[in-house]
């Protein structure tokens, strides 16, 4: 399974570890992903989404159905 939020589209990015001597080595920054189950009253079914902490805040603000529709329009969510 890929490490991509299905609501916001956040994914793994790369950067550098920087030591005290300013020596740089590669590292990855991973999003804070959780697998959550949501009930969608418009569809009258449960859906399982892999969402980041920011995605959970978006769902709390907009509602799960509206957030899923916006994510599908943005290309982050293929289907539910």
């Amino acid at each position: 399974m890929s490490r991509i939020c299905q609501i916001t589209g956040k994914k793994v990015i790369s950067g550098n570890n920087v030591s005290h001597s300013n020596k740089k080595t590669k590292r990855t920054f991973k999003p804070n992903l959780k697998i959550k189950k949501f009930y969608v009253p418009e569809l009258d079914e449960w859906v399982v989404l892999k969402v980041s902490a920011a995605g959970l805040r978006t769902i709390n603000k907009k509602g799960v159905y509206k957030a899923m529709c916006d994510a599908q329009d943005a290309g982050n969510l293929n289907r539910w």
Side-chain angles (χ1 to χ4, degrees):
M1 286 168 60
S2 61
R3 291 187 174 120
I4 299 175
C5 175
Q6 291 180 309
I7 298 296
T8 61
K10 288 180 180 249
K11 56 186 176 182
V12 175
I13 59 173
S14 63
N16 289 317
N17 277 327
V18 181
S19 68
H20 182 68
S21 64
N22 209 26
K23 188 174 185 176
K24 295 168 182 72
T25 56
K26 283 299 195 183
R27 64 158 293 179
T28 58
F29 293 93
K30 298 175 185 161
N32 183 12
L33 293 180
K34 307 290 180 205
I35 296 174
K36 297 286 287 182
K37 189 189 250 189
F38 297 98
Y39 179 72
V40 184
E42 290 86 353
L43 302 174
D44 193 34
E45 63 183 23
W46 290 86
V47 293
V48 177
L49 297 174
K50 189 188 292 190
V51 294
S52 62
L56 284 174
R57 294 180 68 212
T58 302
I59 289 172
N60 285 339
K61 183 177 180 180
K62 294 181 177 181
V64 66
Y65 186 71
K66 176 75 169 116
M68 286 170 41
C69 289
D70 291 346
Q72 192 171 21
D73 292 342
N76 299 329
L77 184 63
N78 293 333
R79 66 164 206 78
W80 55 73

